[in-house]
Amino acid sequence: MKKITKIGVNETLIQKKKLKVAAYCRVSTASDEQLISLEAQKAHYENYIRSNDEWEYVGLYYDEGITGTKKDVRAGLLSMIADCEDGKIEFIITKSISRFARNTTDCLEMVRKLTDLGISIYFEKENINTGSMESELMLSILSSLAESESVSISENSKWSVQKRFQNGTFIIAYPPYGYDNDNGTMVIVPEQAEVVKEIFASCLAGKGTHAIAKELNARGLKTKKNGKWGAGAVNAILTNEKYTGDVIFQKTYSDSSFNRHRNYGERDRFLCENHHEPIISREDFDRVRAVLDQRAMEKGNGTDTYRYQNRYCFSGKIKCGECGGTFKRRQHYKPSGDYVAWTCGTHLESKKDCSMLYISDEGIKFAFLTMMNKLVYGHNAILKPLLRTLRGMDDKDRLLRIQKLECQMEENTDKKQTLTSLMAAGFLEPAVFNKENNVLVVEEQRLRSEKEQLLNSVGGDKVKVKELQRLMSFTTKGEILTEFEDEIFLAFVDSITVESRKKIIFHLKCGLNLAERLVM
């Protein structure tokens, strides 16, 4: 008789097949802050996917600096779909429909294409898994809402801001020097207020903005951002009506493409008198304005002085190693031939305060060419080790915290949007709206402040990596520079410090400080 013995399955030899999971994220602009936000999203999704034992982390696909309204300009998204077609991905996670696509047709087209490949998408914000949907109706509705979401939010936000402009309840999130924000109210900072009064008094006494800034720096006083005073910072105080206790709302505006413009009368402006406690009387403010207008008329510069300060690539970028002053461009006339030179502004005013002599324009350009050609020859020995060091810094915990803060800020925005919609529909009394909205504004400021602190700690190295990669891309081509070009200098150099007439230091945007001999 035949004997059958059952041989049991060896469970140790069977491993459950893991689901191949990828993530997709996008930021709409290529600013440094948004790029760090992108890094935070990448850290979040990698951590999220790897924490699930049933998932295999395939990778993260992303796009930066694009709007998301059209899929055909998003290389990251198209690369992800191509990998789906090759069988490398089985499941996709993304933050929301609006991050995936704001065009209904494109969204449904991509979802159907991926569904045909047996691939599902999970939208975190809407809690939608396309693999468990019985119909496309809900996705179609939500993606249609996402398509118009940015315009709707923008219009409602503008309406809300306009109403707060009109009734004087708009909160100034970042008050000027001399004031602070106390639960939505501008309050005076006594020590800074005294400095503001001195600035106005000095102007009325005949001192120029450069001289005032020099005196403030000599006393060791710092600006609101803890920096050095300059003529521009002093002028900004002298022309800011907020010091009279009044506020002019909507000095700038955004167009339909979300570009910011100065308001020269294209939009309504709103003057709110007695908005907060003044530091300067209206009479003194008007007198100072008249003085500044007279000076501008005498110089022939008008109010648009920025273009005069930045006509040359070295303008504002050369600093004195002795006194910290900024070098100014001068034309030297000599029997042997005329030439352009750069001289410390402090030395021009007083040789006793600074003994640094001029340096030639051609000498700076020759030193720059020498430095760049050294990098072309030695980029493997200089730039690659620096890149490895910067990339080795672990910011994962801070990036995850940034991601969490951004989620909380989005929730805050959704709540404000709901409040605005209820107010616009007449379901909320203005007093209730203002009270609840102010609570959300203060909370937003707290979240934004913490985020900015983290961005500052993370951002420096991220920006340096980006700039270093650009420099390496340029130097690895191996092309020796023979002529100075403004565009190349501005692309890689942040500033120059003049140590002496024989030595200058180039401070590159990637963080390197390279000294070069100056040939006069």
Side-chain angles (χ1 to χ4, degrees), residues 447-460:
L447 294 172
R448 192 176 300 279
S449 177
E450 183 181 351
K451 178 186 172 184
E452 286 178 355
Q453 291 178 2
L454 290 170
L455 287 173
N456 289 335
S457 64
V458 175

Side-chain angles (χ1 to χ4, degrees), residues 312 314 318 327-334 338-344 348 357-364 501 520:
Y312 309 100
F314 295 147
I318 308 177
F327 274 54
K328 297 182 179 180
R329 190 178 189 273
R330 311 281 286 182
Q331 187 74 37
H332 285 197
Y333 301 95
K334 301 289 184 180
D338 302 340
Y339 62 93
V340 175
W342 292 84
T343 309
C344 175
L348 290 174
L357 300 178
Y358 71 88
I359 57 176
S360 71
D361 188 80
E362 287 300 319
I364 303 172
R501 299 190 78 194
M520 297 296 291

Side-chain angles (χ1 to χ4, degrees), residues 33-34 37 171-174 401-402 404-414 416 440-456:
E33 179 177 339
Q34 287 282 46
S37 173
I171 294 178
I172 299 173
Y174 192 77
R401 178 57 184 167
I402 290 173
K404 184 176 181 180
L405 288 171
E406 289 184 342
C407 291
Q408 291 176 331
M409 290 170 67
E410 286 189 7
E411 292 175 3
N412 182 286
T413 299
D414 291 341
K416 288 197 293 184
L440 292 173
V441 168
V442 171
E443 174 66 9
E444 180 189 23
Q445 291 170 358
R446 185 190 66 78
L447 294 172
R448 192 176 300 279
S449 177
E450 183 181 351
K451 178 186 172 184
E452 286 178 355
Q453 291 178 2
L454 290 170
L455 287 173
N456 289 335

Side-chain angles (χ1 to χ4, degrees), residues 289-303 305:
R289 191 57 182 264
V291 170
L292 295 177
D293 290 344
Q294 180 63 31
R295 289 177 185 169
M297 187 182 302
E298 292 171 356
K299 291 181 179 180
N301 291 347
T303 57
T305 58

Side-chain angles (χ1 to χ4, degrees), residues 406-518:
E406 289 184 342
C407 291
Q408 291 176 331
M409 290 170 67
E410 286 189 7
E411 292 175 3
N412 182 286
T413 299
D414 291 341
K415 291 178 181 178
K416 288 197 293 184
Q417 176 70 10
T418 301
L419 270 179
T420 302
S421 299
L422 292 172
M423 175 68 176
F427 295 123
L428 279 182
E429 292 292 331
V432 177
F433 170 81
N434 290 332
K435 179 182 177 181
E436 297 300 324
N437 189 72
N438 287 345
V439 170
L440 292 173
V441 168
V442 171
E443 174 66 9
E444 180 189 23
Q445 291 170 358
R446 185 190 66 78
L447 294 172
R448 192 176 300 279
S449 177
E450 183 181 351
K451 178 186 172 184
E452 286 178 355
Q453 291 178 2
L454 290 170
L455 287 173
N456 289 335
S457 64
V458 175
D461 293 328
K462 299 299 179 185
V463 173
K464 288 178 182 178
V465 168
K466 178 184 174 184
E467 293 295 339
L468 184 56
Q469 289 173 331
R470 290 178 62 239
L471 180 59
M472 290 182 66
S473 177
F474 181 84
T475 56
T476 51
K477 295 177 182 177
E479 299 177 2
I480 300 301
L481 300 182
T482 57
E483 293 183 2
F484 180 87
E485 296 182 23
D486 290 359
E487 292 78 9
I488 297 177
F489 174 83
L490 293 172
F492 301 118
V493 178
D494 184 59
S495 63
I496 298 173
T497 297
V498 180
E499 293 290 314
S500 68
R501 299 190 78 194
K502 295 182 179 180
K503 177 184 176 183
I504 61 176
I505 300 175
F506 291 97
H507 304 283
L508 305 189
K509 294 180 179 179
C510 65
L512 280 175
N513 300 314
L514 301 177
E516 278 298 331
R517 188 167 63 91
L518 197 61

Side-chain angles (χ1 to χ4, degrees), residues 370-414:
T370 303
M371 178 201 66
M372 289 298 294
N373 287 332
K374 286 180 180 178
L375 290 177
V376 171
Y377 276 115
H379 63 269
N380 285 327
I382 300 173
L383 302 182
K384 283 189 176 180
L386 177 60
L387 182 60
R388 286 196 295 268
T389 300
L390 292 176
R391 281 178 167 171
M393 296 181 178
D394 186 12
D395 288 317
K396 187 173 182 180
D397 290 340
R398 284 180 289 179
L399 290 172
L400 290 174
R401 178 57 184 167
I402 290 173
Q403 172 67 12
K404 184 176 181 180
L405 288 171
E406 289 184 342
C407 291
Q408 291 176 331
M409 290 170 67
E410 286 189 7
E411 292 175 3
N412 182 286
T413 299
D414 291 341

